[in-house]
């Protein structure tokens, strides 16, 4: 994690990281003002808080209340050497906790991350740089042996060279990558989380049987998402980029809708139109891109090559973002390598959906076949030893698709997790199923899995597939676990041979799509210094239903973005119009405003917590529509999980509104005790809101230039690096 420090007045310091700010001072005896804890005090507190976190985690997973658990830490300083200290952590537990849980709680403290880092002894590297922001040296402390050449199936270059090449690409773009976490909880299963130190919203996860393969996976995913603009999907890129020579890519084209908002003739083709617009309801305005919001410019469309005949077809960027999310995108050492990964991912998700929604019972992989892969077996045994039964299934549906499945059962909670992996190689697909299962997860994280069900509607409900797409945590049918399989086991093999194995495998996978009667379209990106591609298979690889283009399009942000960002400047007429749109566009009352308008607010602010219901409530108050506001305050307090401070404000507002709306009550009779209950500052905000002198309490003013929105500016900074690299690459062609 990158922590930037600013020097304040006197001895005060300010550390900024993610969306947080921490201020440190020194005690008066050390010539400070004593206005905040000292740096070493924060360090001491971090280990105590970390220990308490793991106690809380242990208790939460076992439904043990923590109200009567007390924890303290004391540091005992060696009089001969003040840097030699003992940290004594003591825990007071209620008498009714079992001996097993007493020992479990003590063991949980031993897992404290701060404790383990201190015990391991971190190494400090102190260096001078010309510019902190310009120094994009990757923070990848894996140190692979540059002399080694580790080849793994599916990669056209050794892992060491793959990691070096991808790290160099990111550094050249000015992106400082840091590793936020590593996990290796069972043998031969590694995962990690990497992110942009400046813009931590840009992150990926990697997985593999070794730490090097997991790192290569994470870097590859990072580069694929950069190339496909996935980190910035749904976000407003600002007015400068919206009016630049290009918005997404130099080869984009903009097409104006026809008469009566008709679709431009230049976009899509007959095959895709039949899928995306079966009833003729899709209009041009549905396809305005969310990122620029530049409706006057038209529909931003990207060129894809139709694989059946090599013709270029223009797909609206809005359509791709809405329906496909991250499905079917990949980076690789070569185009063929990237294609294999893209197509494998497409089959993994499409066939997984067919299996889960069809409640298909898959055949077990025989033990004698599993025994051929001892490293994978060791990982499975590691899970079994922790008390998690594991089922290994052939998901190829009779040898038709290159797919495997590893399913974990959690007897402690009754939950299950079906993890799928695809690749032309049986072994790689099996390994991916296992590593996907544990990607970024601790053993405690396996306690949140949903139980299986015999209710078919719960499995086939569209949002269940979305949950499976996001992190494979959707609901699975009990019929999936039947011992009577719907298909025979096949020890399949779609892998290629020799130097051109990836090219052969890509051809094989494209061939399967052709046999299914599916058309594929591909875009290739190489202007950032690494090759990546995206493959769309209309009617097959969508994540969200096609109807979302009409009924749940991300560009609904354009109805609200400008007015919400200018909220404090709106007159009554514009507030009424905004309220009308909020009430008549079938929005989720509890959907957050940040997602609705594509702005990365600091989630620790009131803007970051703001949802549709609360915004409507505040507008009603600003318009002096107190009856409507009172109704919404009740709903907010009943269902909204917000901060303590925000809830108290609305409790106070609720009480004040009840007085305001009752002709027999007078505020003068209650104000003194309201102030005693809620405090003067909070009641000043409430009464000011009712009088009109305070508007939209808690929401700091901003505008379309995103004034004061540092988190969003960091996201745009990240995108500007890509935009500049693409412009440079285009000018050199």
């Amino acid at each position: 994690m990158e922590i930037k420090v600013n020097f304040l007045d006197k001895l005060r310091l300010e550390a900024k990281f993610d969306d947080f700010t921490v201020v440190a001072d020194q005690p008066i005896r050390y010539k400070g003002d004593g206005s905040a804890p000292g740096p070493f005090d924060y360090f001491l507190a971090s280990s105590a808080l970390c220990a308490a976190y793991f106690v809380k985690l242990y208790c939460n997973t076992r439904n043990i209340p923590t109200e009567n658990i007390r924890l303290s830490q004391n540091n005992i300083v060696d009089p001969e050497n003040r840097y030699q200290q003992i940290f004594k952590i003591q825990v007071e537990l209620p008498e009714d906790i079992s001996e097993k849980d007493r020992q479990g709680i003590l063991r949980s403290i031993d897992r404290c991350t701060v404790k383990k880092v201190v015990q391991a002894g971190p190494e400090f590297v102190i260096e001078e740089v010309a510019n902190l922001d310009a120094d994009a040296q990757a923070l990848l402390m894996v140190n692979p042996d540059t002399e080694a050449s580790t080849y793994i199936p599916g990669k056209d270059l050794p892992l060491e060279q793959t990691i070096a090449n991808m790290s160099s690409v990111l550094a050249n773009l000015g992106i400082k990558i840091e590793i936020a976490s590593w996990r290796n909880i069972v043998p031969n299963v590694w995962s990690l989380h990497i992110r942009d130190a400046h813009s931590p919203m840009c992150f990926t996860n990697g997985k593999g049987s070794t730490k090097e393969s997991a790192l290569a996976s994470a870097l590859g995913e990072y580069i694929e998402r950069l190339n496909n603009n996935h980190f910035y999907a749904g976000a407003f890129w600002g007015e400068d980029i919206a009016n630049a020579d290009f918005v997404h890519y130099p080869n984009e084209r903009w097409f104006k809708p026809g008469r009566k908002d008709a679709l431009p003739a230049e976009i899509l083709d007959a095959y895709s139109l039949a899928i995306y617009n079966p009833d003729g309801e899709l209009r041009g305005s549905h396809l305005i891109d969310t990122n620029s919001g530049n409706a006057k410019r038209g529909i931003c469309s990207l060129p894809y090559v139709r694989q059946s005949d090599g013709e270029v077809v223009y797909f609206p960027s809005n359509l791709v973002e809405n329906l496909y999310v991250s499905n079917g995108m990949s980076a690789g050492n070569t185009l063929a390598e990237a294609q294999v990964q893209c197509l494998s991912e497409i089959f993994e998700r499409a066939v997984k959906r067919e299996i889960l929604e069809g409640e298909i019972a898959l055949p077990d992989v025989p033990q004698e076949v599993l025994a051929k892969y001892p490293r994978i077996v060791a990982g499975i045994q590691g899970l079994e030893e922790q008390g998690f039964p594991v089922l290994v299934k052939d998901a190829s549906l009779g040898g038709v698709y290159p797919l495997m499945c590893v399913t974990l059962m959690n007897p402690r909670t009754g939950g299950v997790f079906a993890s799928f992996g695809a690749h032309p190689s049986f072994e790689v697909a099996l390994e991916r199923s296992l590593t996907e299962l544990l990607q970024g997860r601790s053993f405690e994280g396996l306690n949140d899995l949903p139980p299986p069900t015999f209710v078919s509607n719960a499995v086939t409900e569209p949002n269940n597939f979305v949950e499976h797409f996001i992190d494979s945590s959707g609901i699975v049918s009990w019929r999936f676990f039947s011992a009577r399989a719907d298909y025979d086991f096949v020890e399949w093999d779609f892998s290629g041979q020799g130097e051109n194995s990836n090219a052969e495998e890509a051809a094989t996978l494209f061939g399967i799509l052709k046999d299914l009667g599916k058309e594929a379209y591909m875009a290739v990106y190489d202007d950032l210094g690494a090759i990546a591609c995206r493959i769309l298979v209309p009617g097959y690889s969508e994540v969200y239903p096609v109807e979302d283009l009409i009924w749940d399009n991300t560009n609904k942000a354009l109805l609200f973005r400008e007015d919400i960002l200018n909220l404090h400047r709106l007159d009554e007429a514009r507030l009424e119009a905004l309220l009308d749109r909020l009430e008549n566009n079938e929005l989720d009352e509890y959907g957050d405003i940040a997602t609705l308008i594509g702005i990365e607010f600091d989630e620790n602010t009131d803007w970051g917590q703001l949802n549709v219901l609360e915004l409507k409530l505040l507008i009603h108050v600003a318009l002096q529509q107190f009856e409507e506001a009172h109704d919404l305050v009740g709903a907010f307090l009943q269902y909204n999980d917000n901060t303590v401070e925000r809830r108290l404000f609305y409790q106070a507002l609720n009480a004040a509104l009840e007085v305001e709306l009752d002709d027999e009550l007078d505020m003068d009779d209650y104000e003194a005790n309201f102030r005693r209950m809620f405090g003067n500052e909070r009641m000043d905000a409430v009464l000011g809101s009712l009088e009109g002198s305070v508007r939209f309490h808690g929401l700091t003013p901003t505008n379309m230039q995103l004034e004061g929105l540092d988190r969003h500016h960091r996201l745009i900074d990240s995108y500007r690096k890509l935009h500049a690299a693409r412009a440079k690459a285009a000018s050199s062609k």
Side-chain angles (χ1 to χ4, degrees):
M1 177 173 67
E2 182 176 56
I3 302 172
K4 291 188 175 180
V5 177
N6 298 318
F7 295 90
L8 306 180
D9 60 295
K10 299 184 180 179
L11 296 181
R12 294 171 71 243
L13 304 167
E14 176 186 77
K16 288 182 170 289
F17 53 93
D18 293 343
D19 294 324
F20 301 101
T21 299
V22 173
V23 175
D25 199 354
Q26 290 292 331
I28 294 173
R29 65 182 179 275
Y30 294 139
K31 300 186 178 180
D33 290 334
S35 63
F40 189 67
D41 300 326
Y42 279 115
F43 166 68
L44 293 175
S46 71
S47 61
L49 291 169
C50 185
Y53 163 74
F54 279 95
V55 171
K56 184 74 171 176
L57 205 62
Y58 180 93
C59 292
N60 283 353
T61 58
R62 292 159 180 81
N63 295 316
I64 299 172
T66 55
E67 287 81 359
N68 296 316
I69 295 177
R70 300 172 64 201
L71 183 147
S72 73
Q73 173 185 290
N74 289 279
N75 59 310
I76 303 168
V77 183
D78 186 328
E80 302 294 330
N81 181 359
R82 67 190 181 102
Y83 301 118
Q84 185 71 45
Q85 301 191 16
I86 296 172
F87 286 15
K88 179 178 283 189
I89 297 175
Q90 297 176 311
V91 188
E92 180 183 313
L93 300 173
E95 293 183 1
D96 58 353
I97 291 183
S98 69
E99 182 60 29
K100 178 182 177 182
D101 283 328
R102 288 174 183 272
Q103 295 305 313
I105 288 172
L106 295 178
R107 285 195 301 272
S108 74
I109 294 174
D110 196 50
R111 297 177 54 223
C112 167
T113 308
V114 175
K115 166 185 169 295
K116 287 184 176 293
V117 170
V118 171
Q119 287 178 322
E123 179 182 346
F124 286 82
V125 177
I126 301 171
E127 62 184 12
E128 179 188 1
V129 297
N131 184 310
L132 284 175
D133 294 324
D135 175 41
Q137 176 67 36
L139 305 176
L140 306 176
M141 303 297 287
V142 174
N143 299 324
D145 184 353
T146 55
E147 300 299 319
S149 294
T150 307
Y151 284 89
I152 63 172
K155 292 290 182 189
D156 286 329
L157 290 176
L159 281 176
E160 295 79 11
Q161 189 174 345
T162 300
I163 292 170
N165 290 350
M166 291 190 289
S167 299
S168 176
V169 166
L170 294 171
N172 290 338
L173 287 170
I175 295 173
K176 185 189 294 185
I177 291 292
E178 62 183 10
I179 295 178
S181 66
W182 280 101
R183 289 195 185 276
N184 174 221
I185 61 175
V186 299
N188 308 319
V189 178
W190 288 81
S191 68
L192 78 159
H193 178 88
I194 66 173
R195 63 187 186 184
D196 183 337
H198 179 66
S199 177
M201 302 81 76
C202 303
F203 66 86
T204 58
N205 300 299
K207 58 186 184 295
S209 60
T210 66
K211 62 180 183 294
E212 290 82 8
S213 61
L215 177 57
S217 167
L219 291 171
E221 186 172 285
Y222 201 97
I223 288 174
E224 89 183 24
R225 295 187 176 208
L226 285 180
N227 274 282
N228 288 279
N229 291 343
H230 179 69
F231 291 135
Y232 321 100
F236 178 44
W237 293 348
E239 294 178 324
D240 289 347
I241 293 177
N243 294 295
D245 289 341
F246 66 92
V247 173
H248 295 257
Y249 301 96
N251 62 355
E252 70 193 22
R253 292 182 64 186
W254 295 73
F255 303 109
K256 295 286 185 69
R259 291 181 64 253
K260 297 183 179 180
D261 202 17
L263 297 179
E266 297 92 342
I267 65 170
L268 305 173
D269 59 7
Y271 177 89
S272 57
L273 277 169
I275 294 167
Y276 301 135
N277 192 25
D279 302 317
E281 296 179 326
L282 189 64
R283 315 311 297 164
S285 56
H286 292 135
L287 300 176
I288 302 300
D289 79 295
T290 310
N291 308 113
S292 74
N294 198 338
K296 293 180 181 178
R297 199 167 179 175
I299 298 170
C300 182
S301 303
L302 311 176
Y304 280 75
V305 175
R306 191 165 56 206
Q307 295 303 290
S308 61
D309 58 8
E311 288 294 314
V312 173
V313 178
Y314 280 89
F315 282 73
S317 64
N318 167 285
L319 181 149
V320 176
E321 175 189 304
N322 270 280
L323 301 185
Y324 296 95
V325 200
S326 66
N327 197 22
M329 60 172 68
S330 185
N333 292 298
T334 63
L335 177 57
E337 181 184 312
Q339 287 176 318
V340 170
Q341 177 58 29
C342 273
L343 293 165
S344 295
E345 186 177 82
I346 288 170
F347 282 118
E348 174 192 321
R349 284 151 180 176
V351 179
K352 172 183 181 177
R353 184 172 196 162
E354 180 181 347
I355 290 167
L356 293 177
E357 294 186 356
E359 300 177 279
I360 295 171
L362 301 175
D364 292 322
V365 177
Q367 287 300 318
E368 60 270 20
V369 175
L370 276 181
K372 298 178 183 179
Y373 313 108
R375 291 174 60 85
I376 296 173
V377 170
I380 292 170
Q381 287 176 343
L383 286 170
E384 295 269 4
E385 289 166 2
Q386 292 292 327
F388 299 105
V390 175
L391 308 175
V392 183
K393 303 279 189 178
D394 166 25
S396 68
L397 301 186
V400 176
Y401 304 104
L403 213 69
M404 297 297 294
C405 174
V406 174
T407 301
L408 175 141
M409 307 170 76
N410 189 343
R412 297 190 193 99
T413 63
V416 299
F417 182 6
S419 174
F420 290 75
H423 190 269
S425 162
F426 185 98
E427 179 181 7
V428 173
L430 179 55
E431 180 187 289
R432 286 183 177 176
S433 299
L434 179 60
T435 55
E436 173 71 24
L437 177 71
L438 294 176
Q439 180 171 277
R441 284 186 171 85
S442 62
F443 288 128
E444 287 80 8
L446 297 172
N447 290 323
D448 297 329
L449 306 176
T453 180
F454 278 113
V455 180
S456 297
N457 288 345
V459 178
T460 58
E461 201 273 326
N463 281 337
N464 189 49
F465 174 67
V466 175
E467 292 297 321
H468 277 289
F469 172 81
I470 293 171
D471 63 3
S472 298
S473 64
I475 298 171
V476 177
S477 171
W478 267 120
R479 293 176 178 85
F480 176 82
F481 294 93
S482 173
R484 184 182 302 168
D486 293 314
Y487 291 86
D488 293 331
F489 169 74
V490 175
E491 191 174 359
W492 49 266
D493 182 14
F494 295 88
S495 57
Q497 303 297 322
E499 293 182 0
N500 297 317
S501 60
N502 271 316
E504 293 177 18
E505 290 169 1
T508 298
L509 297 178
F510 275 123
I512 297 174
L513 287 175
K514 184 178 179 181
D515 291 342
L516 291 172
K518 304 295 182 184
E519 186 69 81
Y521 304 78
M522 181 172 67
V524 177
Y525 303 111
D526 60 3
D527 47 9
L528 299 183
I531 196 153
C533 67
R534 177 155 207 165
I535 297 174
L536 309 178
V537 186
Y540 193 70
S541 65
E542 292 86 1
V543 175
Y544 287 99
V546 169
E547 308 87 74
D548 279 7
L549 289 174
I550 298 172
W551 303 111
D552 194 21
N553 196 305
T554 59
N555 75 3
K556 61 179 177 285
L558 308 186
L559 293 171
F560 306 103
R561 181 185 289 153
E562 183 172 358
D563 278 351
I564 290 177
L565 289 175
N566 289 313
L567 188 64
H568 294 77
R569 299 172 183 81
L570 302 186
D571 59 23
E572 287 197 5
R574 290 185 66 185
L575 282 176
E576 288 277 13
L578 173 58
L579 185 61
D580 183 67
R581 295 196 299 278
L582 288 168
E583 290 178 338
N584 292 293
N585 276 278
E586 299 183 355
L587 302 177
D588 176 4
E589 292 272 76
Y590 299 97
D592 61 273
I593 293 297
T595 300
L596 174 65
I597 64 173
I599 299 294
E600 283 282 347
F601 294 111
D602 179 345
E603 62 185 17
N604 302 300
T605 64
D606 292 328
W607 272 114
Q609 297 290 320
L610 186 68
N611 62 23
V612 172
L613 184 149
E614 185 181 357
L615 178 58
K616 289 164 56 177
L617 188 169
L618 290 171
I619 294 174
H620 280 303
V621 172
L623 292 170
Q624 305 286 287
Q625 297 170 352
F626 294 146
E627 289 188 10
E628 295 87 343
H630 186 241
D631 290 341
L632 293 181
V633 169
F636 178 92
L637 291 172
Q638 185 171 2
Y639 298 109
N640 199 289
D641 183 20
N642 211 300
T643 63
V644 173
E645 169 59 35
R646 203 65 173 160
R647 286 188 64 83
L648 285 171
F649 168 76
Y650 283 112
Q651 285 178 354
L653 179 62
N654 188 51
L657 283 169
E658 294 202 9
V659 172
E660 186 74 27
L661 292 169
D662 193 323
D663 293 337
E664 298 182 2
L665 300 178
D666 192 309
M667 186 63 71
D668 291 341
D669 297 333
Y670 294 91
E671 183 177 343
N673 280 323
F674 281 172
R675 289 184 177 278
R676 294 184 70 185
M677 172 69 80
F678 298 111
N680 284 329
E681 184 178 347
R682 192 173 292 117
M683 282 309 301
D684 286 344
V686 167
L687 297 178
S689 297
L690 298 185
E691 295 162 1
S693 59
V694 175
R695 283 162 54 90
F696 309 109
H697 172 64
L699 304 181
T700 54
T702 184
N703 49 39
M704 282 292 282
Q705 288 70 49
L706 311 171
E707 183 180 339
L709 303 182
D710 176 66
R711 180 179 172 89
H712 194 84
H713 278 292
R714 282 183 279 148
L715 183 70
I716 296 177
D717 287 346
S718 173
Y719 182 67
R720 286 186 188 280
K721 294 171 184 176
L722 311 189
H723 200 268
R726 287 172 179 148
K728 182 178 180 180
S731 65
S732 64
K733 290 182 179 178

